[in-house]
Amino acid sequence: MNPTVIPALVAASVDREVGPRRPGAIYQNIDGRFEVLALITDPREAAQLLRRDSARWAVIVRDTLRPDGQPFAIGSVWTTSDHLIREGKSVPVYAAAA
């Protein structure tokens, strides 16, 4: 396999896992309604935020249903239980880390 193909495959996988959660997006699921504040695609930073060595990305969100909602990092993949309410900025997955 061509070594330049690996980063493209990883980026495509991360893009599917993150789904439409880009900065500025709002989505809702059973746990709450969340505004995406940042998308972290640097694996080292994501691993530190999530306290998981295997993390490749993290999303920093704030629950908009809680008036005292504090930002926190999540690493859960986008599923059919998540519903996009407002689109965020169109940022490619790996450009978001810059």
Side-chain angles (χ1 to χ4, degrees):
M1 180 178 277
N2 183 340
T4 59
V5 173
I6 302 288
L9 291 174
V10 170
S13 174
V14 168
D15 191 48
R16 280 190 307 277
E17 292 170 4
V18 170
R21 292 178 288 190
R22 300 297 188 270
I26 295 178
Y27 71 98
Q28 188 165 350
N29 60 29
I30 195 164
D31 297 322
R33 184 177 9 179
F34 304 97
E35 178 181 16
V36 177
L37 303 176
L39 170 61
I40 310 301
T41 57
D42 176 359
R44 286 172 289 179
E45 188 176 350
Q48 185 177 29
L49 283 168
L50 297 173
R51 297 182 186 103
R52 259 190 349 230
D53 290 341
S54 63
R56 295 184 296 172
W57 56 270
V59 179
I60 299 176
V61 299
R62 180 180 61 85
D63 190 341
T64 62
L65 296 177
R66 299 180 62 125
D68 62 341
Q70 296 296 313
F72 61 97
I74 61 166
S76 56
V77 299
W78 183 263
T79 70
T80 57
S81 298
D82 298 312
H83 304 283
L84 187 64
I85 295 172
R86 180 181 77 192
E87 287 189 33
K89 299 173 189 167
S90 181
V91 178
V93 166
Y94 279 92

mmCIF file of all heavy atoms in Angstrom, residues 44-83:
data_model
loop_
_atom_site.group_PDB
_atom_site.id
_atom_site.type_symbol
_atom_site.label_atom_id
_atom_site.label_comp_id
_atom_site.label_asym_id
_atom_site.label_seq_id
_atom_site.Cartn_x
_atom_site.Cartn_y
_atom_site.Cartn_z
ATOM 1 N N ARG A 44 -2.568 13.775 19.569
ATOM 2 C CA ARG A 44 -1.954 13.960 20.903
ATOM 3 C C ARG A 44 -2.811 14.843 21.788
ATOM 4 O O ARG A 44 -3.024 14.555 22.964
ATOM 5 C CB ARG A 44 -0.546 14.536 20.769
ATOM 6 C CG ARG A 44 0.470 13.503 20.270
ATOM 7 C CD ARG A 44 1.766 14.151 19.978
ATOM 8 N NE ARG A 44 1.519 14.933 18.760
ATOM 9 C CZ ARG A 44 2.400 15.693 18.152
ATOM 10 N NH1 ARG A 44 3.584 15.838 18.647
ATOM 11 N NH2 ARG A 44 2.090 16.338 17.051
ATOM 12 N N GLU A 45 -3.325 15.931 21.225
ATOM 13 C CA GLU A 45 -4.183 16.835 21.995
ATOM 14 C C GLU A 45 -5.512 16.154 22.346
ATOM 15 O O GLU A 45 -6.011 16.279 23.458
ATOM 16 C CB GLU A 45 -4.434 18.123 21.219
ATOM 17 C CG GLU A 45 -5.139 19.178 22.019
ATOM 18 C CD GLU A 45 -5.300 20.489 21.281
ATOM 19 O OE1 GLU A 45 -4.714 20.670 20.201
ATOM 20 O OE2 GLU A 45 -6.034 21.343 21.806
ATOM 21 N N ALA A 46 -6.072 15.419 21.379
ATOM 22 C CA ALA A 46 -7.325 14.702 21.619
ATOM 23 C C ALA A 46 -7.151 13.658 22.716
ATOM 24 O O ALA A 46 -8.005 13.529 23.602
ATOM 25 C CB ALA A 46 -7.814 14.046 20.333
ATOM 26 N N ALA A 47 -6.044 12.929 22.671
ATOM 27 C CA ALA A 47 -5.774 11.899 23.688
ATOM 28 C C ALA A 47 -5.662 12.525 25.071
ATOM 29 O O ALA A 47 -6.161 11.970 26.058
ATOM 30 C CB ALA A 47 -4.497 11.136 23.340
ATOM 31 N N GLN A 48 -5.039 13.677 25.156
ATOM 32 C CA GLN A 48 -4.904 14.363 26.436
ATOM 33 C C GLN A 48 -6.261 14.863 26.936
ATOM 34 O O GLN A 48 -6.598 14.693 28.113
ATOM 35 C CB GLN A 48 -3.929 15.525 26.298
ATOM 36 C CG GLN A 48 -3.622 16.216 27.598
ATOM 37 C CD GLN A 48 -2.592 17.320 27.411
ATOM 38 O OE1 GLN A 48 -2.494 17.933 26.348
ATOM 39 N NE2 GLN A 48 -1.828 17.558 28.452
ATOM 40 N N LEU A 49 -7.052 15.462 26.063
ATOM 41 C CA LEU A 49 -8.366 15.979 26.456
ATOM 42 C C LEU A 49 -9.307 14.869 26.921
ATOM 43 O O LEU A 49 -10.045 15.038 27.889
ATOM 44 C CB LEU A 49 -9.024 16.709 25.285
ATOM 45 C CG LEU A 49 -8.513 18.096 24.974
ATOM 46 C CD1 LEU A 49 -9.049 18.571 23.625
ATOM 47 C CD2 LEU A 49 -8.917 19.062 26.067
ATOM 48 N N LEU A 50 -9.272 13.737 26.208
ATOM 49 C CA LEU A 50 -10.195 12.639 26.512
ATOM 50 C C LEU A 50 -9.612 11.618 27.483
ATOM 51 O O LEU A 50 -10.301 10.686 27.888
ATOM 52 C CB LEU A 50 -10.614 11.935 25.212
ATOM 53 C CG LEU A 50 -11.378 12.812 24.225
ATOM 54 C CD1 LEU A 50 -11.586 12.068 22.915
ATOM 55 C CD2 LEU A 50 -12.706 13.254 24.812
ATOM 56 N N ARG A 51 -8.337 11.790 27.813
ATOM 57 C CA ARG A 51 -7.629 10.844 28.699
ATOM 58 C C ARG A 51 -7.716 9.419 28.147
ATOM 59 O O ARG A 51 -8.002 8.468 28.864
ATOM 60 C CB ARG A 51 -8.176 10.920 30.116
ATOM 61 C CG ARG A 51 -7.960 12.270 30.758
ATOM 62 C CD ARG A 51 -8.465 12.294 32.178
ATOM 63 N NE ARG A 51 -8.365 13.627 32.725
ATOM 64 C CZ ARG A 51 -9.395 14.448 32.866
ATOM 65 N NH1 ARG A 51 -10.594 14.059 32.522
ATOM 66 N NH2 ARG A 51 -9.225 15.646 33.380
ATOM 67 N N ARG A 52 -7.504 9.325 26.826
ATOM 68 C CA ARG A 52 -7.533 8.042 26.117
ATOM 69 C C ARG A 52 -6.410 8.036 25.088
ATOM 70 O O ARG A 52 -6.418 8.836 24.160
ATOM 71 C CB ARG A 52 -8.853 7.903 25.346
ATOM 72 C CG ARG A 52 -9.856 7.069 25.980
ATOM 73 C CD ARG A 52 -11.056 6.735 25.102
ATOM 74 N NE ARG A 52 -11.243 7.430 23.865
ATOM 75 C CZ ARG A 52 -12.370 8.011 23.495
ATOM 76 N NH1 ARG A 52 -13.427 7.998 24.278
ATOM 77 N NH2 ARG A 52 -12.470 8.599 22.336
ATOM 78 N N ASP A 53 -5.466 7.136 25.232
ATOM 79 C CA ASP A 53 -4.333 7.087 24.313
ATOM 80 C C ASP A 53 -4.743 6.835 22.868
ATOM 81 O O ASP A 53 -4.063 7.253 21.938
ATOM 82 C CB ASP A 53 -3.333 6.002 24.736
ATOM 83 C CG ASP A 53 -2.603 6.360 26.018
ATOM 84 O OD1 ASP A 53 -2.587 7.555 26.387
ATOM 85 O OD2 ASP A 53 -2.049 5.452 26.659
ATOM 86 N N SER A 54 -5.849 6.157 22.665
ATOM 87 C CA SER A 54 -6.269 5.789 21.309
ATOM 88 C C SER A 54 -7.056 6.884 20.590
ATOM 89 O O SER A 54 -7.415 6.711 19.424
ATOM 90 C CB SER A 54 -7.105 4.515 21.355
ATOM 91 O OG SER A 54 -8.283 4.745 22.108
ATOM 92 N N ALA A 55 -7.320 7.997 21.239
ATOM 93 C CA ALA A 55 -8.136 9.060 20.624
ATOM 94 C C ALA A 55 -7.435 9.653 19.410
ATOM 95 O O ALA A 55 -6.234 9.927 19.449
ATOM 96 C CB ALA A 55 -8.429 10.148 21.644
ATOM 97 N N ARG A 56 -8.183 9.840 18.345
ATOM 98 C CA ARG A 56 -7.654 10.497 17.141
ATOM 99 C C ARG A 56 -8.224 11.888 16.986
ATOM 100 O O ARG A 56 -7.698 12.705 16.249
ATOM 101 C CB ARG A 56 -7.979 9.670 15.893
ATOM 102 C CG ARG A 56 -7.282 8.330 15.889
ATOM 103 C CD ARG A 56 -7.542 7.588 14.609
ATOM 104 N NE ARG A 56 -8.967 7.289 14.498
ATOM 105 C CZ ARG A 56 -9.546 6.790 13.422
ATOM 106 N NH1 ARG A 56 -8.842 6.549 12.351
ATOM 107 N NH2 ARG A 56 -10.840 6.529 13.401
ATOM 108 N N TRP A 57 -9.339 12.157 17.660
ATOM 109 C CA TRP A 57 -10.006 13.452 17.566
ATOM 110 C C TRP A 57 -10.856 13.664 18.811
ATOM 111 O O TRP A 57 -11.141 12.731 19.549
ATOM 112 C CB TRP A 57 -10.874 13.529 16.311
ATOM 113 C CG TRP A 57 -11.883 12.427 16.223
ATOM 114 C CD1 TRP A 57 -11.719 11.210 15.641
ATOM 115 C CD2 TRP A 57 -13.203 12.421 16.783
ATOM 116 N NE1 TRP A 57 -12.852 10.448 15.801
ATOM 117 C CE2 TRP A 57 -13.785 11.169 16.491
ATOM 118 C CE3 TRP A 57 -13.955 13.346 17.494
ATOM 119 C CZ2 TRP A 57 -15.071 10.829 16.884
ATOM 120 C CZ3 TRP A 57 -15.237 13.005 17.890
ATOM 121 C CH2 TRP A 57 -15.782 11.757 17.576
ATOM 122 N N ALA A 58 -11.250 14.910 19.020
ATOM 123 C CA ALA A 58 -12.157 15.272 20.114
ATOM 124 C C ALA A 58 -12.982 16.474 19.663
ATOM 125 O O ALA A 58 -12.549 17.251 18.812
ATOM 126 C CB ALA A 58 -11.385 15.624 21.383
ATOM 127 N N VAL A 59 -14.162 16.576 20.210
ATOM 128 C CA VAL A 59 -15.036 17.720 19.940
ATOM 129 C C VAL A 59 -15.307 18.387 21.282
ATOM 130 O O VAL A 59 -15.662 17.721 22.251
ATOM 131 C CB VAL A 59 -16.366 17.264 19.283
ATOM 132 C CG1 VAL A 59 -17.270 18.461 19.038
ATOM 133 C CG2 VAL A 59 -16.100 16.526 17.976
ATOM 134 N N ILE A 60 -15.106 19.686 21.333
ATOM 135 C CA ILE A 60 -15.418 20.439 22.549
ATOM 136 C C ILE A 60 -16.793 21.056 22.353
ATOM 137 O O ILE A 60 -17.034 21.773 21.372
ATOM 138 C CB ILE A 60 -14.356 21.506 22.845
ATOM 139 C CG1 ILE A 60 -13.006 20.816 23.056
ATOM 140 C CG2 ILE A 60 -14.752 22.338 24.068
ATOM 141 C CD1 ILE A 60 -11.854 21.752 23.256
ATOM 142 N N VAL A 61 -17.696 20.730 23.279
ATOM 143 C CA VAL A 61 -19.085 21.159 23.173
ATOM 144 C C VAL A 61 -19.543 21.826 24.460
ATOM 145 O O VAL A 61 -18.896 21.716 25.500
ATOM 146 C CB VAL A 61 -20.027 19.961 22.860
ATOM 147 C CG1 VAL A 61 -19.670 19.322 21.533
ATOM 148 C CG2 VAL A 61 -20.003 18.934 23.971
ATOM 149 N N ARG A 62 -20.702 22.503 24.349
ATOM 150 C CA ARG A 62 -21.361 23.103 25.513
ATOM 151 C C ARG A 62 -22.834 22.765 25.387
ATOM 152 O O ARG A 62 -23.441 22.946 24.329
ATOM 153 C CB ARG A 62 -21.153 24.614 25.502
ATOM 154 C CG ARG A 62 -21.799 25.348 26.658
ATOM 155 C CD ARG A 62 -21.551 26.840 26.560
ATOM 156 N NE ARG A 62 -22.100 27.434 25.351
ATOM 157 C CZ ARG A 62 -23.364 27.842 25.222
ATOM 158 N NH1 ARG A 62 -24.204 27.727 26.228
ATOM 159 N NH2 ARG A 62 -23.787 28.370 24.086
ATOM 160 N N ASP A 63 -23.432 22.263 26.461
ATOM 161 C CA ASP A 63 -24.854 21.916 26.457
ATOM 162 C C ASP A 63 -25.658 23.207 26.537
ATOM 163 O O ASP A 63 -25.622 23.912 27.542
ATOM 164 C CB ASP A 63 -25.181 20.995 27.632
ATOM 165 C CG ASP A 63 -26.587 20.408 27.550
ATOM 166 O OD1 ASP A 63 -27.433 20.962 26.818
ATOM 167 O OD2 ASP A 63 -26.836 19.395 28.223
ATOM 168 N N THR A 64 -26.411 23.508 25.493
ATOM 169 C CA THR A 64 -27.164 24.766 25.435
ATOM 170 C C THR A 64 -28.469 24.712 26.220
ATOM 171 O O THR A 64 -29.120 25.746 26.397
ATOM 172 C CB THR A 64 -27.472 25.156 23.970
ATOM 173 O OG1 THR A 64 -28.284 24.141 23.384
ATOM 174 C CG2 THR A 64 -26.202 25.347 23.175
ATOM 175 N N LEU A 65 -28.852 23.539 26.703
ATOM 176 C CA LEU A 65 -30.063 23.426 27.525
ATOM 177 C C LEU A 65 -29.788 23.736 28.987
ATOM 178 O O LEU A 65 -30.722 23.883 29.772
ATOM 179 C CB LEU A 65 -30.664 22.016 27.389
ATOM 180 C CG LEU A 65 -31.153 21.644 25.992
ATOM 181 C CD1 LEU A 65 -31.660 20.208 25.985
ATOM 182 C CD2 LEU A 65 -32.233 22.601 25.528
ATOM 183 N N ARG A 66 -28.530 23.818 29.343
ATOM 184 C CA ARG A 66 -28.147 24.124 30.729
ATOM 185 C C ARG A 66 -27.622 25.548 30.798
ATOM 186 O O ARG A 66 -26.623 25.867 30.155
ATOM 187 C CB ARG A 66 -27.075 23.154 31.199
ATOM 188 C CG ARG A 66 -27.523 21.708 31.202
ATOM 189 C CD ARG A 66 -26.400 20.849 31.688
ATOM 190 N NE ARG A 66 -26.081 21.238 33.050
ATOM 191 C CZ ARG A 66 -26.056 20.396 34.063
ATOM 192 N NH1 ARG A 66 -26.297 19.134 33.873
ATOM 193 N NH2 ARG A 66 -25.765 20.816 35.269
ATOM 194 N N PRO A 67 -28.243 26.406 31.569
ATOM 195 C CA PRO A 67 -27.761 27.790 31.649
ATOM 196 C C PRO A 67 -26.338 27.884 32.198
ATOM 197 O O PRO A 67 -25.618 28.813 31.874
ATOM 198 C CB PRO A 67 -28.758 28.485 32.584
ATOM 199 C CG PRO A 67 -29.557 27.412 33.209
ATOM 200 C CD PRO A 67 -29.404 26.173 32.397
ATOM 201 N N ASP A 68 -25.936 26.907 33.005
ATOM 202 C CA ASP A 68 -24.596 26.905 33.569
ATOM 203 C C ASP A 68 -23.679 25.935 32.827
ATOM 204 O O ASP A 68 -22.635 25.548 33.330
ATOM 205 C CB ASP A 68 -24.642 26.531 35.050
ATOM 206 C CG ASP A 68 -25.197 25.129 35.269
ATOM 207 O OD1 ASP A 68 -25.868 24.592 34.357
ATOM 208 O OD2 ASP A 68 -24.954 24.557 36.346
ATOM 209 N N GLY A 69 -24.065 25.536 31.602
ATOM 210 C CA GLY A 69 -23.313 24.550 30.836
ATOM 211 C C GLY A 69 -21.878 24.978 30.581
ATOM 212 O O GLY A 69 -21.634 26.037 30.001
ATOM 213 N N GLN A 70 -20.952 24.172 31.027
ATOM 214 C CA GLN A 70 -19.528 24.433 30.841
ATOM 215 C C GLN A 70 -19.012 23.581 29.675
ATOM 216 O O GLN A 70 -19.457 22.456 29.488
ATOM 217 C CB GLN A 70 -18.749 24.077 32.109
ATOM 218 C CG GLN A 70 -19.116 24.920 33.313
ATOM 219 C CD GLN A 70 -18.763 26.373 33.097
ATOM 220 O OE1 GLN A 70 -17.671 26.705 32.647
ATOM 221 N NE2 GLN A 70 -19.708 27.255 33.389
ATOM 222 N N PRO A 71 -18.067 24.101 28.894
ATOM 223 C CA PRO A 71 -17.504 23.322 27.797
ATOM 224 C C PRO A 71 -16.827 22.047 28.304
ATOM 225 O O PRO A 71 -16.220 22.041 29.371
ATOM 226 C CB PRO A 71 -16.468 24.266 27.184
ATOM 227 C CG PRO A 71 -16.904 25.626 27.589
ATOM 228 C CD PRO A 71 -17.523 25.450 28.956
ATOM 229 N N PHE A 72 -16.954 20.990 27.515
ATOM 230 C CA PHE A 72 -16.276 19.733 27.822
ATOM 231 C C PHE A 72 -15.977 18.994 26.530
ATOM 232 O O PHE A 72 -16.580 19.271 25.485
ATOM 233 C CB PHE A 72 -17.097 18.871 28.795
ATOM 234 C CG PHE A 72 -18.449 18.461 28.273
ATOM 235 C CD1 PHE A 72 -18.637 17.228 27.687
ATOM 236 C CD2 PHE A 72 -19.544 19.316 28.398
ATOM 237 C CE1 PHE A 72 -19.892 16.850 27.218
ATOM 238 C CE2 PHE A 72 -20.796 18.948 27.943
ATOM 239 C CZ PHE A 72 -20.968 17.705 27.340
ATOM 240 N N ALA A 73 -15.030 18.088 26.593
ATOM 241 C CA ALA A 73 -14.598 17.339 25.416
ATOM 242 C C ALA A 73 -15.332 16.010 25.337
ATOM 243 O O ALA A 73 -15.562 15.352 26.357
ATOM 244 C CB ALA A 73 -13.099 17.108 25.471
ATOM 245 N N ILE A 74 -15.685 15.629 24.121
ATOM 246 C CA ILE A 74 -16.297 14.327 23.881
ATOM 247 C C ILE A 74 -15.561 13.631 22.738
ATOM 248 O O ILE A 74 -14.912 14.274 21.923
ATOM 249 C CB ILE A 74 -17.803 14.427 23.527
ATOM 250 C CG1 ILE A 74 -18.013 15.245 22.255
ATOM 251 C CG2 ILE A 74 -18.590 15.004 24.690
ATOM 252 C CD1 ILE A 74 -19.390 15.116 21.675
ATOM 253 N N GLY A 75 -15.703 12.328 22.687
ATOM 254 C CA GLY A 75 -15.086 11.536 21.629
ATOM 255 C C GLY A 75 -16.043 10.525 21.054
ATOM 256 O O GLY A 75 -15.620 9.561 20.417
ATOM 257 N N SER A 76 -17.327 10.726 21.271
ATOM 258 C CA SER A 76 -18.321 9.781 20.751
ATOM 259 C C SER A 76 -18.561 10.030 19.265
ATOM 260 O O SER A 76 -18.575 11.169 18.812
ATOM 261 C CB SER A 76 -19.630 9.891 21.527
ATOM 262 O OG SER A 76 -20.110 11.215 21.500
ATOM 263 N N VAL A 77 -18.736 8.944 18.508
ATOM 264 C CA VAL A 77 -18.949 9.063 17.071
ATOM 265 C C VAL A 77 -20.369 9.542 16.780
ATOM 266 O O VAL A 77 -21.276 9.368 17.590
ATOM 267 C CB VAL A 77 -18.676 7.733 16.333
ATOM 268 C CG1 VAL A 77 -17.235 7.298 16.533
ATOM 269 C CG2 VAL A 77 -19.629 6.659 16.764
ATOM 270 N N TRP A 78 -20.542 10.140 15.617
ATOM 271 C CA TRP A 78 -21.845 10.605 15.148
ATOM 272 C C TRP A 78 -22.691 9.381 14.813
ATOM 273 O O TRP A 78 -22.229 8.467 14.145
ATOM 274 C CB TRP A 78 -21.650 11.483 13.918
ATOM 275 C CG TRP A 78 -22.915 12.072 13.391
ATOM 276 C CD1 TRP A 78 -23.666 11.593 12.370
ATOM 277 C CD2 TRP A 78 -23.575 13.240 13.871
ATOM 278 N NE1 TRP A 78 -24.763 12.397 12.174
ATOM 279 C CE2 TRP A 78 -24.731 13.424 13.085
ATOM 280 C CE3 TRP A 78 -23.309 14.157 14.887
ATOM 281 C CZ2 TRP A 78 -25.616 14.488 13.270
ATOM 282 C CZ3 TRP A 78 -24.181 15.211 15.073
ATOM 283 C CH2 TRP A 78 -25.320 15.370 14.275
ATOM 284 N N THR A 79 -23.930 9.354 15.304
ATOM 285 C CA THR A 79 -24.818 8.220 15.042
ATOM 286 C C THR A 79 -26.167 8.708 14.532
ATOM 287 O O THR A 79 -26.431 9.918 14.490
ATOM 288 C CB THR A 79 -25.052 7.376 16.317
ATOM 289 O OG1 THR A 79 -25.857 8.143 17.225
ATOM 290 C CG2 THR A 79 -23.750 6.968 16.987
ATOM 291 N N THR A 80 -27.026 7.774 14.234
ATOM 292 C CA THR A 80 -28.380 8.128 13.782
ATOM 293 C C THR A 80 -29.213 8.720 14.913
ATOM 294 O O THR A 80 -30.282 9.273 14.667
ATOM 295 C CB THR A 80 -29.099 6.904 13.195
ATOM 296 O OG1 THR A 80 -29.123 5.871 14.173
ATOM 297 C CG2 THR A 80 -28.397 6.413 11.931
ATOM 298 N N SER A 81 -28.739 8.635 16.146
ATOM 299 C CA SER A 81 -29.431 9.245 17.293
ATOM 300 C C SER A 81 -29.127 10.739 17.410
ATOM 301 O O SER A 81 -29.791 11.445 18.154
ATOM 302 C CB SER A 81 -29.016 8.559 18.593
ATOM 303 O OG SER A 81 -29.378 7.211 18.565
ATOM 304 N N ASP A 82 -28.107 11.200 16.695
ATOM 305 C CA ASP A 82 -27.732 12.614 16.710
ATOM 306 C C ASP A 82 -28.470 13.333 15.585
ATOM 307 O O ASP A 82 -28.564 12.818 14.469
ATOM 308 C CB ASP A 82 -26.222 12.769 16.494
ATOM 309 C CG ASP A 82 -25.417 12.103 17.596
ATOM 310 O OD1 ASP A 82 -25.737 12.329 18.778
ATOM 311 O OD2 ASP A 82 -24.476 11.362 17.272
ATOM 312 N N HIS A 83 -28.988 14.523 15.896
ATOM 313 C CA HIS A 83 -29.746 15.292 14.913
ATOM 314 C C HIS A 83 -29.162 16.696 14.802
ATOM 315 O O HIS A 83 -29.086 17.414 15.806
ATOM 316 C CB HIS A 83 -31.220 15.375 15.304
ATOM 317 C CG HIS A 83 -31.832 14.033 15.482
ATOM 318 N ND1 HIS A 83 -32.204 13.239 14.420
ATOM 319 C CD2 HIS A 83 -32.100 13.322 16.605
ATOM 320 C CE1 HIS A 83 -32.687 12.092 14.882
ATOM 321 N NE2 HIS A 83 -32.637 12.121 16.205
#
